Amino acid sequence: MDVQIRVAQPADLGPLGALARQTYTDAYAHEMPAQALSEHLELHLSPDRLAGMLCRDVVLLAEVAGCLVGFVQFGATRPEYRSDDGTVYATGDDLELRRLYVLAGFQNQGLGGVLMRAAFEHFWLTGRRVFLTVWHTNVAAQRFYARHHFRQIGIVPLRGGETGFDLLLLRDIRQS
């Protein structure tokens, strides 16, 4: 499979939004009530949120035969990355891998690995500690991240009325 990786541009907002909503729906619709899924998509993957995402983060797109099939997003860490006792996990020098999504028809073909390698080759991530969160029931994603040297260091409770939690993972290049 010939995969092209490139940095997302404002002109990509429409196709990126469609891809983000489709991949999120494919991944989580079976675990979320329809109303909660709809609210999440509107809150986190609306055109305005995606435009802001392109302004503050790096988004790398994966294309196959000119079609957008996956993306990875990374940027500054969030302040809630601290333990229950107040221990700070992340510092201002650390980054967060926010999303890595691939269309269902392109999964298990190495595309996620291609996106992960492209992210870690980007100068923002070179030599830095990188955090990410993964839904506690998403075992396939947890295995994928473990193969890329992420290890669990904590738990992040979900905000609002959502139930469940995310696992907090860290990839420390100094320890990989």
Side-chain angles (χ1 to χ4, degrees):
M1 172 173 27
D2 184 29
V3 180
Q4 301 298 313
I5 304 292
R6 66 180 179 82
V7 176
Q9 302 298 317
D12 296 311
L13 279 174
L16 175 60
L19 174 68
R21 288 185 294 278
Q22 181 63 54
T23 54
Y24 191 89
T25 299
D26 289 348
Y28 299 109
H30 67 283
E31 292 191 33
M32 298 177 78
Q35 174 81 18
L37 177 63
S38 177
E39 289 172 2
H40 180 89
L41 295 175
E42 183 56 35
L43 179 63
H44 297 288
L45 297 174
S46 69
D48 287 344
R49 288 294 291 259
L50 291 170
M53 177 173 84
L54 289 184
C55 289
R56 78 173 176 275
D57 290 346
V58 173
V59 178
L60 301 178
L61 305 177
E63 295 177 325
V64 173
C67 296
L68 186 58
V69 298
F71 74 100
V72 62
Q73 173 193 357
F74 49 93
T77 56
R78 293 181 277 184
E80 65 263 24
Y81 288 169
R82 42 183 87 238
S83 68
D84 291 338
D85 68 0
T87 303
V88 176
Y89 289 123
T91 70
D93 293 333
D94 300 325
L95 293 174
E96 174 184 6
L97 193 143
R98 297 191 208 292
R99 294 181 177 87
L100 193 156
Y101 289 134
V102 174
L103 283 174
F106 288 87
Q107 291 179 4
N108 300 312
Q109 298 179 37
L111 189 57
V114 169
L115 280 166
M116 185 66 81
R117 284 188 296 281
F120 279 103
E121 290 171 0
H122 190 278
F123 72 92
W124 271 24
L125 295 185
T126 302
R128 311 271 290 273
R129 292 186 335 150
V130 178
F131 291 82
L132 65 82
T133 58
V134 61
W135 182 242
H136 73 281
T137 63
N138 193 342
V139 176
Q142 292 169 38
R143 284 193 305 260
F144 171 81
Y145 293 128
R147 286 193 305 271
H148 291 277
H149 308 288
F150 283 90
R151 61 183 172 80
Q152 182 182 340
I153 61 165
I155 292 174
V156 178
L158 299 179
R159 290 171 281 180
E162 298 179 67
T163 61
F165 57 91
D166 283 333
L167 303 178
L168 179 61
L169 309 181
L170 169 67
R171 182 178 192 259
D172 189 343
I173 194 69
R174 298 165 295 192
Q175 298 174 353
S176 304

